[in-house]
Amino acid sequence: QVQLVESGGGLVQAGGSLRLSCAPSGSMFSINAMGWYRQAPGKQRELVARITRDGSRNYADSVIGRFTISRDNAKNTVYLQMNSLKPEDTAVYYCNGDISSYDAVYRDRWGQGTQVTVSS
C-alpha cells in the first residue's frame, strides 16, 4: 500500500528543536504538494504548514517564525524544522499529500504519525 512514513519525533524541553522528515514508503514514488498536520489530545487535527512542489509555503499563525517546512525533491522528502518549541506544540504530527508513480497519482495519503512531546 502506498503511504507516507514520518520520522524525527521525540521528547524535548521547551525552547528546544526537532526536525521531522516524511517520505513515501517506496523509492519509486515522488511527492507533490505536501503538508504537516498535528493533533493534540482532545483536539481536532490542524494544519501546521504546507508546501507546494515549487516551494510555496504557508503556515498556521501559531508556528510562524518558529517552524520551517522544506522539501528535497531529489530525495522525495519533506521536512518540518521546529524551533523554540512550546508545551502547546505537543501533539502527534502527521504528514499528508499526494504521491505519484510513473503511471498513477495517489491522493490524500497520510503517514502513521510521529509523537512530539515538549516538556515545560
Side-chain angles (χ1 to χ4, degrees), residues 29-106:
F29 300 110
S30 61
I31 56 175
N32 300 322
M34 300 294 295
W36 284 99
Y37 292 74
R38 67 186 180 187
Q39 187 166 20
K43 295 188 177 181
Q44 289 189 333
R45 191 172 297 188
E46 62 175 356
L47 176 66
V48 176
R50 187 166 175 81
I51 187 167
T52 63
R53 185 160 180 84
D54 65 1
S56 297
R57 303 172 174 88
N58 64 281
Y59 297 93
D61 289 345
S62 59
V63 306
I64 289 174
R66 300 188 299 122
F67 290 12
T68 302
I69 189 170
S70 62
R71 63 190 294 149
D72 184 333
N73 289 335
K75 295 181 179 179
N76 290 311
T77 301
V78 62
Y79 305 96
L80 185 68
Q81 178 66 44
M82 305 185 293
N83 299 328
S84 302
L85 282 160
K86 305 176 181 180
E88 51 263 43
D89 295 318
T90 296
V92 178
Y93 283 71
Y94 298 90
C95 179
N96 170 265
D98 296 343
I99 305 171
S100 296
S101 66
Y102 75 96
D103 64 350
V105 177
Y106 302 88

